[in-house]
Amino acid sequence: MTELIKVGMADWKIASSGGVLKTTGLGSCVGLTLYDGAAMIAGMAHIMLPSSEIAREEQFNRAKYADTALPDMLDAILAAGASRRRLVAKLAGGAQMFAFAGQDTMRIGPRNVETCKMMLASLDIPLIAEDTGANYGRTIELDSATGVLTIRSIQYGTKEL
Amino acid sequence: MSLWNEFKDEFKLDVLKEVGNIGAGHAATALSRILNHPVDMSVPTVSLVPFEEIADRVGGAEQVVIAVFLRVEGDAPGNMFFIIREDSAKRLLRNLLSIDTEDGAYSDMELSALNEIGNILAGSYLSSLADFTKLAMTPTVPSLAIDMAGAILSYGLLQFGQMGDAALLIETKFLEDRDTVEGQFFLIPDPESFEKIFRALGVPGS
């Protein structure tokens, strides 16, 4: 039986040896995954906001922001035995659930996606697949045995990346 | 963080419950007129809910819900959700438009009607609250989504996201026959709005 590891909102987890990472109900939040296929080690982050520069709290949760969650998860996945050269990334989520014109907070989904892409580019990790944007929620699962990212939504059912 | 300490104060929590009571009371009356049958209302709950648990309030992150979302603008900005279950939505549509919907499928007309119902209810909630507090509170144009509860509700948490990992929400349930939930109202004032609400209502020390 495969081990299912739940990744909460503003959280990240690492899985290996066939463990499956899952996060539910991504709206404007982004699911960012890293994977090393040879070592079969996977990481998944459920990111809520783009940049920790906007944090108004002193002791903030680093897993909440794209610019802090990705470096932390990268350190952890490398420590778990993944190779930096083999790492590939996939992205899902970042939807705009409600349409309002001209409201900055309401564009948070696309901004989350943009920041993740910038971070990945600066860390030189290739983004090999994405299912981002639009206006619907997604639940995602990453299988550490295969690297397949399964995306489920209410309107469009299941698809694999 | 001073904001979180506020909510250890029973008196302030009671004030926020009253806010929910007044707003939802008027909205429940409006809903019972639309439905043409009595709608009861639960005692509002005010709680500091960790982000992780917020979707549990409506049946879990993957539960499909129909949600009308509006942003509250004015003196005390915030986010508001009116959430109805699918069977209640169908009954609303039947009473209002005499149409029977098929499972999971909604026409533009039906969606527009649901959106308008959310608009009316949120409007009556906010206008009674604005009258009571003398604060200007106006809803934006409503937006409707039928999707996973987690994906929808997380949208209302973004303003709180910059401050911590929990949001304060004022929740009222609409009930039919005492136990069947008809719908739910969530008012999530922005963190900065609480002081203004307390001051407007004359809470000492604010």
Side-chain angles (χ1 to χ4, degrees):
Chain A
M1 208 185 123
T2 52
E3 190 194 0
L4 189 67
I5 301 164
K6 196 173 179 293
V7 181
M9 196 185 290
D11 184 19
W12 58 259
K13 294 269 167 59
I14 305 291
S16 58
S17 54
V20 174
L21 293 159
K22 178 177 185 179
T23 199
T24 50
L26 287 169
S28 58
C29 296
V30 167
L32 170 63
T33 67
L34 296 177
Y35 185 60
D36 174 347
M40 293 203 283
I41 301 177
M44 179 184 285
H46 183 140
I47 291 163
M48 202 175 162
L49 293 163
S51 166
S52 60
E53 281 166 25
I54 58 169
R56 289 184 286 161
E57 33 182 349
E58 284 156 28
Q59 295 271 312
F60 65 86
N61 172 5
R62 292 172 59 87
K64 188 158 53 186
Y65 302 95
D67 66 332
T68 44
L70 178 53
D72 286 2
M73 183 165 76
L74 178 62
D75 285 348
I77 201 169
L78 294 178
S83 152
R84 174 85 193 235
R85 287 180 298 107
R86 288 193 302 254
L87 280 180
V88 290
K90 291 180 184 178
L91 271 179
Q96 191 163 357
M97 298 297 295
F98 298 96
F100 287 100
Q103 282 208 27
D104 203 37
T105 18
M106 301 309 149
R107 274 204 74 251
I108 205 85
R111 277 168 56 208
N112 279 335
V113 173
E114 286 157 22
T115 311
C116 284
K117 286 182 179 171
M118 267 164 46
M119 290 295 299
L120 287 168
S122 72
L123 292 164
D124 217 8
I125 300 169
L127 176 66
I128 58 165
E130 66 174 303
D131 178 34
T132 57
N135 63 347
Y136 54 89
R138 297 166 172 94
T139 283
I140 60 169
E141 276 184 31
L142 181 68
D143 188 336
S144 69
T146 60
V148 170
L149 183 68
T150 308
I151 299 165
R152 214 147 42 75
S153 63
I154 303 301
Q155 297 172 51
Y156 302 105
T158 306
K159 75 177 201 180
E160 291 186 346
L161 286 184
Chain B
M1 178 120 295
S2 66
L3 179 66
W4 309 133
N5 292 333
E6 300 264 15
F7 304 117
K8 291 181 186 136
D9 184 334
E10 282 292 319
F11 180 67
K12 287 188 173 173
L13 286 180
D14 282 346
V15 167
L16 293 176
K17 271 183 204 160
E18 193 50 28
V19 162
N21 229 344
I22 291 163
H26 282 79
T29 309
L31 182 61
S32 69
R33 286 210 191 105
I34 296 170
L35 284 172
N36 208 10
H37 78 81
V39 172
D40 286 334
M41 187 185 97
S42 69
V43 175
T45 57
V46 175
S47 42
L48 195 58
V49 185
F51 292 164
E52 200 42 44
E53 291 167 22
I54 201 149
D56 294 344
R57 301 293 173 110
V58 287
E62 290 192 278
Q63 173 68 44
V64 177
V65 294
I66 300 172
V68 176
F69 170 70
L70 3 87
R71 176 90 185 130
V72 181
E73 293 176 337
D75 294 332
N79 295 316
M80 179 173 258
F81 291 97
F82 175 60
I83 290 175
I84 27 176
R85 301 187 336 178
E86 288 207 276
D87 48 349
S88 302
K90 281 179 188 148
R91 189 168 46 238
L92 274 169
L93 290 170
R94 204 158 44 227
N95 287 11
L96 208 66
L97 303 171
S98 313
I99 34 181
D100 274 309
T101 53
E102 286 167 39
D103 272 341
Y106 296 88
S107 69
D108 286 349
M109 177 69 172
E110 290 157 353
L111 293 176
S112 162
L114 288 172
N115 206 14
E116 189 50 29
I117 291 163
N119 196 20
I120 292 167
L121 300 185
S124 71
Y125 189 118
L126 285 176
S127 65
S128 59
L129 193 54
D131 283 349
F132 180 64
T133 57
K134 305 277 183 277
L135 292 169
M137 290 174 154
T138 48
T140 59
V141 174
S143 183
L144 180 122
I146 302 173
D147 214 312
M148 302 174 187
I152 285 174
L153 288 173
S154 61
Y155 235 63
L157 306 177
L158 296 172
Q159 279 82 4
F160 267 97
Q162 301 167 21
M163 303 205 36
D165 296 294
L168 188 119
L169 61 96
I170 303 171
E171 178 190 5
T172 319
K173 286 192 179 93
F174 289 152
L175 305 170
E176 190 201 356
D177 309 327
R178 264 189 235 105
D179 52 353
T180 324
V181 177
E182 191 96 52
Q184 273 158 292
F185 250 118
F186 289 102
L187 176 62
I188 311 175
D190 287 359
E192 297 83 353
S193 295
F194 289 101
E195 268 318 300
K196 288 179 191 149
I197 294 173
F198 290 138
R199 207 176 307 132
L201 294 175
V203 174
S206 58

